[in-house]
Amino acid sequence: MVEASRIFQTTLFPSFSILHKSCTLTQSPSFLRKKYSTTIHCSSSVSTSDSATEKAASVTPKVPWGCEIDSLQNAEALQRWLSDSGLPPQKMAIQKVEVGERGLVALKNIRKGEKLLFVPPSLVITADSEWSCPEAGEVLKQYSVPDWPLLATYLISEASLQQSSRWSNYISALPRQPYSLLYWTRAELDRFLEASQIRERAIERITNVIGTYDDLRLRIFSKYPDLFPEEVFNMETFKWSFGILFSRLVRLPSMDGRVALVPWADMLNHSCEVETFLDYDKSSKGVVFTTDRQYEPGEQVFISYGKKSNGELLLSYGFVPREGTNPSDSVELSLSLKKSDKCYKEKLEALRKHGLSASQCFPLRITGWPVELMAYSFLAVSPPSMSRQFEEMAAAASNATTIRKDIRYPEIEEQALQFILDSCEMSISKYTKFLQASGSMDLDVTSPKQLNRRLFLKQLAVDLCNSERRILFRAQSVLRRRLRDIRSGELRALRIFDGFRNLFK
């Protein structure tokens, strides 16, 4: 489906001037949104920017570099260049594969626990890499541009120089249009992802990319037009470069957490069944990964892109694993305070104090949900008589605090579970409505190429919705059973009480 290396964060980029909204790390094991100290404030709205971007795309040529996603010729040229540049002989080669258009396939028997790759630091792209146009690099460093936008600009700069750049063989092997939700129009996001919370994440990501480009253009590019001409450094090329970063950038723990692009290694595809990932090996002085299983000649070799949900994999990499095959899959459930609540203002104030809002998303997994979700639900249903506990509930609902999380209020547990169930069933109805309508969507048959693209997007959306609805159905079943147990227990207690009362009569 897609080639990429493991990404350890899904926040768009570190803070840059007034930019960058904290995205979440939904890839964390808890799948809870991780709060960051800096936020992004983008100058352009998605609705206006989307139409402007689509209009610009109709007159701006697509990026002239890169190749078709399944091109082996360019990948083989990359392999030869890497070997000539110091990449040691490999036990793998690039081939067309069933999972992903291109992938690394074993040439020899590979043992479990064997180290592979050994890409030297000289063949790794980082924020410290030498620019072919050193003046452009110096300008960005003078403005203290952080790694993500710096690397995005670096990629465009090197790509525009074509054969003059030492990275020309690598860039020509990169996809001309990466699999990324950055390439979905607003209408496509609204149409195909209307039921999923990933739609909001995608809109946020697109907004942040547009805002980052606008900030770079206004504060830097416009002041140095000779170094950053608009015909090269434009929204279309930044969409491409950020698409490459989202799908291929890795964080290497043993190199002080440095983010990097690792040519050759980023041809490895993802499998939900493996846990091995890329890192720098100090003994061999190269980027490697250690296999967690054996491979025979002809088998595709996989790594893990991280413990990500199907929605996150679609967001960054443009593919959705088969339903039920991803043990890290989850779906975000949106919970909201009711404005009719007599204590709405007090509850909202308590939530805001801990970085939360009146509407909050929490992850559901097949195995359950986080204690923060339960704490939020307790707060949402708590009566005025429990106002002294509002602060404790709000604190426990925030993943930013270390306060005791597993709070319990037996007197309102039934109402809290019913509150979660109502939200769950409301979400299920949205997925069901979309899936029922997906079979009769009016697709434009006058343009076969566009039709094929939209059919592909539609299939991705259907796959995502089926996997997320499956988790919601599981949560619905668990909630109904727990409520039934609570209510039957209460009924038994009431009958016992009535029995004692009749006895004493």
Side-chain angles (χ1 to χ4, degrees):
M1 286 262 183
V2 68
E3 309 148 5
S5 46
R6 181 178 182 182
I7 290 182
F8 283 78
Q9 64 173 32
T10 45
T11 50
L12 283 180
F13 351 91
S15 63
F16 174 37
S17 179
I18 58 170
L19 284 182
H20 301 186
K21 184 167 183 180
S22 60
C23 255
T24 139
L25 175 160
T26 43
Q27 276 95 6
S28 63
S30 66
F31 193 62
L32 286 175
R33 298 214 162 190
K34 180 178 179 182
K35 304 298 178 182
Y36 290 83
S37 57
T38 54
T39 56
I40 304 171
H41 302 286
C42 296
S43 57
S44 50
S45 67
V46 179
S47 56
T48 56
S49 299
D50 185 72
S51 59
T53 303
E54 290 181 40
K55 183 178 179 181
S58 65
V59 296
T60 304
K62 299 293 183 182
V63 293
W65 48 78
C67 65
E68 294 304 315
I69 194 76
D70 60 351
S71 170
L72 282 183
Q73 182 179 356
N74 295 51
E76 289 166 353
L78 168 65
Q79 186 172 350
R80 290 192 299 271
W81 172 73
L82 288 169
S83 297
D84 294 341
S85 302
L87 185 74
Q90 301 288 309
K91 288 189 175 183
M92 301 175 293
I94 299 173
Q95 294 182 16
K96 286 190 176 182
V97 292
E98 291 183 2
V99 179
E101 277 76 9
R102 302 176 292 187
L104 295 186
V105 173
L107 296 176
K108 303 177 181 179
N109 286 314
I110 296 174
R111 303 184 311 274
K112 179 180 179 180
E114 190 169 349
K115 289 184 179 179
L116 299 176
L117 286 178
F118 304 99
V119 181
S122 60
L123 295 177
V124 174
I125 297 176
T126 70
D128 296 328
S129 292
E130 184 178 349
W131 290 60
S132 296
C133 178
E135 296 85 358
E138 286 301 318
V139 167
L140 293 187
K141 290 174 182 178
Q142 287 173 14
Y143 280 82
S144 300
V145 178
D147 289 355
W148 272 82
L150 179 71
L151 285 168
T153 310
Y154 179 85
L155 265 184
I156 297 169
S157 177
E158 296 297 316
S160 68
L161 296 174
Q162 300 182 9
Q163 298 301 318
S164 300
S165 168
R166 82 170 282 227
W167 301 108
S168 61
N169 284 285
Y170 174 57
I171 291 168
S172 11
L174 293 174
R176 187 174 291 115
Q177 180 172 317
Y179 283 132
S180 170
L181 290 185
L182 292 178
Y183 284 90
W184 291 39
T185 66
R186 178 60 185 268
E188 289 166 345
L189 291 171
D190 290 344
R191 188 178 197 183
F192 296 121
L193 297 179
E194 60 179 336
S196 177
Q197 290 294 327
I198 287 298
R199 171 184 169 276
E200 298 301 321
R201 299 268 307 283
I203 292 172
E204 181 181 49
R205 178 167 289 190
I206 292 169
T207 304
N208 290 343
V209 169
I210 294 171
T212 299
Y213 166 70
D214 286 345
D215 186 80
L216 288 168
R217 178 175 54 83
L218 292 172
R219 296 183 348 104
I220 302 175
F221 297 166
S222 61
K223 296 179 182 178
Y224 302 91
D226 293 339
L227 295 176
F228 305 102
E230 190 171 357
E231 58 268 25
V232 174
F233 297 87
N234 51 58
M235 190 63 246
E236 192 66 29
T237 57
F238 266 83
K239 190 192 297 183
W240 171 81
S241 64
F242 274 114
I244 295 297
L245 295 185
F246 284 131
S247 62
R248 292 168 178 264
L249 200 66
V250 299
R251 185 175 294 277
L252 303 171
S254 298
M255 289 185 73
D256 299 322
R258 177 173 297 183
V259 291
L261 288 168
V262 186
W264 179 254
D266 59 9
M267 294 291 174
L268 286 159
N269 287 316
H270 169 81
S271 171
C272 298
E273 297 176 355
V274 304
E275 297 184 357
T276 186
F277 56 90
L278 299 175
D279 198 5
Y280 178 71
D281 181 58
K282 294 180 180 178
S283 60
S284 62
K285 297 183 179 178
V287 176
V288 304
F289 72 97
T290 304
T291 59
D292 59 1
R293 63 202 56 215
Q294 64 180 21
Y295 294 94
E296 296 180 358
E299 281 191 286
Q300 184 178 181
V301 180
F302 294 99
I303 61 169
S304 170
Y305 296 172
K307 294 181 178 180
K308 299 175 172 63
S309 70
N310 286 1
E312 292 166 327
L313 290 170
L314 174 61
L315 185 63
S316 288
Y317 305 104
F319 72 92
V320 178
R322 292 194 315 274
E323 183 181 351
T325 62
N326 182 4
S328 299
D329 197 15
S330 61
V331 58
E332 288 190 343
L333 181 67
S334 179
L335 302 179
S336 300
L337 296 180
K338 293 182 179 179
K339 290 190 176 181
S340 58
D341 191 324
K342 294 179 181 179
C343 301
Y344 178 82
K345 290 183 178 179
E346 293 86 345
K347 293 178 180 179
L348 180 57
E349 182 180 351
L351 288 170
R352 286 177 174 171
K353 185 176 179 180
H354 294 279
L356 302 176
S357 62
S359 293
Q360 203 68 34
C361 288
F362 296 92
L364 295 180
R365 294 184 183 274
I366 284 290
T367 54
W369 50 80
V371 290
E372 288 88 351
L373 180 148
M374 198 67 204
Y376 189 99
S377 302
F378 279 134
L379 177 64
V381 302
S382 56
S385 59
M386 298 183 71
S387 60
R388 291 184 179 181
Q389 282 79 42
F390 288 174
E391 175 71 20
E392 179 185 44
M393 295 175 186
S398 171
N399 66 317
T401 63
T402 57
I403 194 171
R404 178 172 169 264
K405 303 281 189 179
D406 56 338
I407 56 174
R408 293 198 64 187
Y409 302 96
E411 65 272 31
I412 57 171
E413 183 175 3
E414 180 182 346
Q415 295 94 309
L417 293 173
Q418 185 64 53
F419 174 75
I420 300 172
L421 178 60
D422 292 342
S423 301
C424 188
E425 291 181 336
M426 187 181 302
S427 187
I428 288 174
S429 67
K430 292 180 182 178
Y431 284 95
T432 302
K433 181 180 178 182
F434 167 77
L435 290 169
Q436 288 174 344
S438 64
S440 59
M441 282 188 172
D442 181 23
L443 298 174
D444 182 10
V445 295
T446 61
S447 174
K449 186 175 181 181
Q450 190 68 5
L451 174 62
N452 290 339
R453 177 180 180 277
R454 290 190 177 178
L455 283 173
F456 176 65
L457 301 188
K458 174 184 169 183
Q459 188 59 55
L460 286 174
V462 168
D463 291 345
L464 177 66
C465 285
N466 275 322
S467 68
E468 292 188 338
R469 189 176 67 158
R470 171 176 172 266
I471 298 172
L472 288 166
F473 275 139
R474 170 64 177 167
Q476 179 191 51
S477 175
V478 171
L479 287 162
R480 284 178 174 176
R481 185 168 62 249
R482 288 181 62 178
L483 282 167
R484 186 168 59 248
D485 290 345
I486 288 174
R487 288 162 183 165
S488 62
E490 290 176 348
L491 183 60
R492 283 196 301 272
L494 182 60
R495 287 172 177 168
I496 292 173
F497 176 76
D498 287 341
F500 274 110
R501 187 173 58 179
N502 293 332
L503 179 64
F504 284 104
K505 282 182 178 179

